[in-house]
Amino acid sequence: MENGTTEGGRMGNKRKDNTTDSNSQQKQPSGSQKRKRKNEIGLAVEAQKGSILKFVHHENNEVDQDHHVTSQENFYADEAQETQEHTEQSFETDADTKQEIKTVETVLAWDIDDTGTWPQSLNNEYCAIILEKGPVKIKGLEYPKDIRGRKFTKNNYYKRLSNDEIVNRWWLVYSKCKDAVFCFPCKIFNSCNFKIATMGINDWKNLSHILPQHEKAQYHIESMHKWCELNVRLKNQTTLDAQNQRLLESKKQHWRHVLERLLSIVEYLSTNNLAFRGSVEKLFQPQNGNFWGLVQLLGKFDTMMSEHLRRVTENEIHDHYLGPRIQNELIMLMSNKVRDKIVSLVTLAKYFAIILDCTPDISHQEQMSLIVRFVDISDSAQITVKELFITFLEVQDTTGFGLLQTLLDELKQMGLSIMNIRGQGYDNGANMKGCISGVQARLLRENPRAFFVPCACHSLNLILCDMAKSSVEAISFFGLLQRIYVLFSASTQRWQIFKAHVNGITVKPLSETRWESRVESVKMLRYQSEEVYEALVAISEEARDPKAKSEAQSLASEISSFKFLTSVVIWYDILVKISSVSKFLVKYREHGFKEAQVTARELAQALGVEPKFPCANVTRVSRKKRQMKYEGADEPIDDPEKKFELLL
């Protein structure tokens, strides 16, 4: 103990000496100190993510599934957000490092929703904030078990009276960080030194006996009386610091209105797929991006935003919530809300199908898109089938096993059961459709009812690709088309020569994803082959680049052959028919049956035939036996018209 005390004293003196030296000499922090400060700021910002939601009104007055927030939000959220933005700006301007880290540690020291993190003594300001919000009971929480397998249960929140009446223990709160329960009023007013008001109680075996004894204690009754009385005073604004309370409420309302406007701007830019930031991140500067520009535009007509911009420009406030980190956080919060809404609809429908597709992004990172298809039954008056995009998933392992694990992890995180999948649709890649190691085979082994349906559009594309690759002439023909496009598009001068000779139609590159759309590439040579030939001859005569001159001469010679011209006509006729049939089937699937019925009724009227489908012979309908209780009852189609439509 003596050595520890001596060392502690030396360390304290050392810190004091360092502080004195740094204040006197005004030394700049070293590189390691800056890196340490940057890491601590990053942790602080990450810990504060999501707290901005406390400023915004929601339809159901909910922040998330387990946390309800009323219109009278706590002022501590304001301080937390301001501290976060202040740490961001102070890092960029290289402000006082020690003061910044101290502020961050103060914010992260305790959570207003978790009683176990509160300090032993609370000042009047924090007490008013906590009392205004009231005790928070987190719903849907999975309580951990102790070494003996016991845990806290929701039944402890209630007590049964002698007349069998159930009474709610509003004063009892659970702390996640300490896995213990506290008495809310005794903790606030510090009315006793017992564990239930200081350290918390986690004796789950004897908790049912401890709580009734605590309820009968005199100090608890006095704390409850103080709690009720102070709540009434705060509600009626009759406390001694009523003026301060009104100022705090005014400040909260101001920031709430500002954040609502910023959320509207984020929603507009995201909906229209517009860029947020520009080359400059300062107010009233050119090229500062769409986000800052819309803020400035809104400030011209909106008094609330105008006042906010005035405070920012006149340096009355340092935390303006307009920086790139806040923008990213608002985007993530809104995307999470949309995603949660989709998941709730899927959960309500119970059964769903998944559609996956992988593609590398611009940074060469493989990403897998996740789409769900389900029946929306939220509106009983209009039940529809919906197909909605969920998210992009980063994929490290592109094998069937790796893709399936990524999918299962995401479904587990969203709270969707793999056993409720009734369909899966992928492209024709081996890692997706493989019958042994593909995603569909592995998923079928987990859930035999998740039937696999390959992508029809992708199958048609593969058929055309394989058909073309099987012919050497086809490979040479489409390769020549690509060479023509590259020659003209690689130079602005050659493109001007092409436009001078060819009118109305331009050269198009070959499409790999939609093979039938290559009809646009063939269309130019089908109807303006003479003009294209003259453009190639002009390039061979006027071009200064020897490589381009030689390429133009070669292409002009090849497209002027009868063999090539025959290929142009044949491939154009084939691709036009394929494209028209594909579009016709899509259109006819939606409206064709009804249009056919209109024409059929006219023919029936001319022949004197009743426009009605004949009823089938009344026979006993065989019904499929349900293997599981959750399966829907087999409902055969009795309507002859609907049955005929489905059979077609």
Side-chain angles (χ1 to χ4, degrees), residues 56-69:
V56 185
H57 289 292
H58 299 268
E59 295 180 358
N60 298 325
N61 293 329
E62 293 181 357
V63 173
D64 50 38
Q65 184 179 3
D66 300 329
H67 189 175
H68 300 273
V69 180

Side-chain angles (χ1 to χ4, degrees), residues 36-49:
K36 181 179 179 181
R37 179 185 63 178
K38 181 178 179 181
N39 294 334
E40 292 176 345
I41 294 173
L43 293 175
V45 173
E46 186 70 22
Q48 294 297 332
K49 283 186 176 180

Side-chain angles (χ1 to χ4, degrees), residues 180 249 574 584 589:
E249 183 63 26
I574 293 175
F584 170 77
R589 179 182 298 175

Side-chain angles (χ1 to χ4, degrees), residues 322-334:
L322 303 176
R325 293 182 180 177
I326 291 296
Q327 296 175 27
N328 293 335
E329 185 172 354
L330 291 176
I331 294 173
M332 292 303 300
L333 291 174
M334 298 181 70

Side-chain angles (χ1 to χ4, degrees), residues 100 148 179 321 353 368 374 636:
E100 177 182 296
R148 298 183 179 180
D179 186 26
Y321 299 96
M368 181 171 65
F374 62 96

Side-chain angles (χ1 to χ4, degrees), residues 587-598:
K587 182 179 179 181
Y588 202 85
R589 179 182 298 175
E590 298 178 356
H591 311 289
F593 185 75
K594 293 182 180 180
E595 295 176 356
Q597 279 187 312
V598 174

